Amino acid sequence: MRRTATGAAVAGLLLLLGTACGSRLPESDFENRATPAPRESAEPIRVGIISSATSPVGASAFTGPRDGAKAWFDRLDARGGIDGRPVEVRLCDDGGSGVGNSPCVRRLIDQDKVVALVATTAFDYAGAAQVSRAGVPDIGGQPIGAAYDTYPHLYGIYGSLAPRDGTPGWNGELYGGTEVYRYFKRVHGARTAAVVSYNQSASAAYARLVARGLRAEGYRVVTEQVDFALPDFRAAAADLKAQGADLVFDAVDTHGNALLCKAMDQVGAHVTAKVTNVQNWTSTVPEDYKDAPRCRNALWATGSSRNYEDTGDAAVRAFRDATKALPTRSQWQLEGWAAARWFTDAAKSCVRTGITRACVDAFMNRGTPYTAGGLLLPVTYERTAEPPSTRRTCLSVARWRDGRGWVTQGDMNTNCFDVPQIAYRP
């Protein structure tokens, strides 16, 4: 399981909000590049993509994985599909609610007869149990909730070691590592960290989890809590400056982050890093943080996938080439692209016997780490009876620099640490 502090950051943020041109991949990476376009008689392979395209947190918050996956399948079909068969993508917007999610699941599984779900990004994955009961593999979804650590046949983009027997994690507890905190301590010498949250239950709970991880790594922790309705970020920024914070973590939304950064600039709170997560690893930083140039250039993001700005990597260049028409770029788009590639590799393995739900699921369950051609840190799905107490975990790290975008910090395959695993309840 790589349900680390990095992955948990996405879950914590979204739980909070619930209440309030380069060269292409090698030809072998796309089946039958030289094959003519599929014949009209070739039966399509149907996949479903569920996203909370309209949701309480805004129209674009959950669409990155969908857009990345769709770009992969469009490119794949232009090159002949899988064994001459096109991949037909069926989209469903669940409206950001469980009430909408369950009908999406029923329509895609029972009516559209999809072979698999790909790059699911659901605010409330209420239909997860139904997907599992139907034996439909759900490949490369974003672990916003606990579904990918709860049910069989669901394979999140970051992997899991949990039993997945219908109960989240191990007896209702999930585990996250402290590698993000270890990285900044070991590589940048950070010693004092501030954690900013709202006086709202989900925000405060996630902030406590971050504080626990920081203390486990020996940090002095400064906690700052602001009012959810009328937040005084300037006072919080002034205090974290007075406390000499090296790092700032948060349990607030994107708008709150922008206001916090603005306040930090106003009071002269200069830190080694203002740390954010993969959901905010986007090209919209200049607009989102337009009023905070100093804090903006102290933004760092951590995750488990290769920086979408790494154009020296062939797999990243292929992603960027296929998504150049999109108005923005994001790490979630790259992870959606990787999820679609994962399905494609699974489907290719089934060409001789038939591309069925069961065959695709067997590929996913084979126990071999998967990297999507180096775009992901090795993703493992196992079922261990006991949770790990420690684990060697790697992370991808990038820093925002005006004029350069997100600049990779070290190799994600060597940014690795043996860290404790901390239990929490989803």
Side-chain angles (χ1 to χ4, degrees):
M1 175 191 66
R2 189 157 62 243
R3 183 72 174 183
T4 62
T6 303
V10 179
L13 175 60
L14 295 175
L15 178 60
L16 158 67
L17 293 174
T19 57
C21 163
S23 65
R24 294 177 171 83
L25 283 171
E27 294 185 14
S28 60
D29 286 328
F30 288 98
E31 184 78 6
N32 298 331
R33 184 182 187 276
T35 300
R39 299 181 302 275
E40 289 186 6
S41 60
E43 182 183 357
I45 303 164
R46 288 182 181 171
V47 299
I49 300 178
I50 299 174
S51 61
S52 298
T54 55
S55 75
V57 297
S60 62
F62 293 88
T63 56
R66 177 202 70 185
D67 294 344
K70 187 67 166 58
W72 170 274
F73 288 130
D74 287 346
R75 176 66 64 88
L76 181 69
D77 285 349
R79 298 184 175 190
I82 299 173
D83 194 36
R85 297 173 62 185
V87 176
E88 183 180 291
V89 178
R90 296 294 180 96
L91 304 176
C92 195
D93 173 12
D94 67 8
S97 73
V99 172
N101 184 264
S102 293
C104 271
V105 167
R106 288 195 297 270
R107 194 199 83 190
L108 292 172
I109 292 177
D110 299 331
Q111 179 179 322
D112 294 341
K113 306 294 185 182
V114 298
V115 172
L117 300 178
V118 177
T120 299
T121 313
F123 188 85
D124 181 356
Y125 198 177
Q130 182 180 353
V131 174
S132 181
R133 286 194 302 270
V136 176
D138 177 343
I139 300 172
Q142 289 293 337
I144 294 165
Y148 294 98
D149 287 303
T150 302
Y151 300 107
H153 310 296
L154 274 61
Y155 307 94
I157 197 69
Y158 305 130
S160 177
L161 298 181
R164 293 185 292 136
D165 55 5
T167 301
W170 292 263
N171 299 316
E173 289 188 327
L174 303 181
Y175 286 75
T178 61
E179 62 276 4
V180 174
Y181 318 130
R182 179 76 59 87
Y183 170 85
F184 284 102
K185 181 180 179 181
R186 183 78 57 84
V187 178
H188 298 284
R191 291 295 181 269
T192 300
V195 184
V196 182
S197 66
Y198 290 124
N199 62 343
Q200 182 265 354
S201 59
S203 176
Y206 179 63
R208 287 194 295 271
L209 173 63
V210 174
R212 283 178 58 204
L214 287 163
R215 291 190 180 103
E217 289 295 331
Y219 283 85
R220 183 172 73 90
V221 179
V222 178
T223 58
E224 306 286 349
Q225 192 170 91
V226 299
D227 186 77
F228 182 65
L230 297 170
D232 186 354
F233 285 111
R234 189 180 179 94
D239 188 57
L240 66 87
K241 176 187 178 182
Q243 297 281 355
D246 303 309
L247 308 177
V248 177
F249 294 86
D250 69 86
V252 302
D253 57 328
T254 301
H255 178 65
N257 263 297
L259 293 177
L260 174 60
C261 260
K262 180 179 179 180
M264 288 171 61
D265 273 18
Q266 289 173 338
V267 304
H270 305 149
V271 297
T272 299
K274 169 67 182 72
V275 187
T276 189
N277 56 64
V278 67
Q279 190 189 20
N280 296 315
W281 193 335
T282 74
S283 63
T284 62
V285 167
E287 296 80 32
D288 295 338
Y289 297 87
K290 63 181 184 299
D291 296 324
R294 188 172 188 113
C295 181
R296 181 174 68 233
N297 281 278
L299 285 175
W300 292 64
T302 63
S304 300
S305 53
R306 190 174 300 280
N307 184 2
Y308 75 85
E309 300 264 31
D310 274 350
T311 54
D313 181 83
V316 173
R317 289 198 304 272
F319 159 75
R320 291 181 64 91
D321 180 59
T323 56
K324 59 188 175 184
L326 294 176
T328 62
R329 304 287 186 122
S330 76
Q331 201 65 15
W332 264 14
Q333 291 171 358
L334 180 139
E335 291 185 353
W337 169 276
R341 177 171 178 163
W342 201 352
F343 167 78
T344 300
D345 287 339
K348 285 179 180 178
S349 76
C350 300
V351 165
R352 290 185 180 180
T353 59
I355 302 174
T356 63
R357 292 172 178 175
C359 183
V360 170
D361 191 65
F363 178 92
M364 300 301 299
N365 251 330
R366 73 198 192 287
T368 303
Y370 186 78
T371 69
L375 291 177
L376 304 173
L377 287 167
V379 182
T380 301
Y381 264 91
E382 300 176 20
R383 294 182 180 180
T384 61
E386 299 294 332
S389 58
T390 62
R391 195 176 184 207
R392 184 163 183 80
T393 310
C394 305
L395 70 160
S396 176
V397 185
R399 181 183 182 182
W400 179 267
R401 305 299 285 173
D402 284 350
R404 298 177 64 191
W406 290 102
V407 180
T408 299
Q409 306 295 306
D411 185 340
M412 70 178 188
N413 292 296
T414 58
N415 284 337
C416 305
F417 306 93
D418 294 304
V419 294
Q421 301 294 300
I422 298 176
Y424 66 97
R425 288 195 172 271

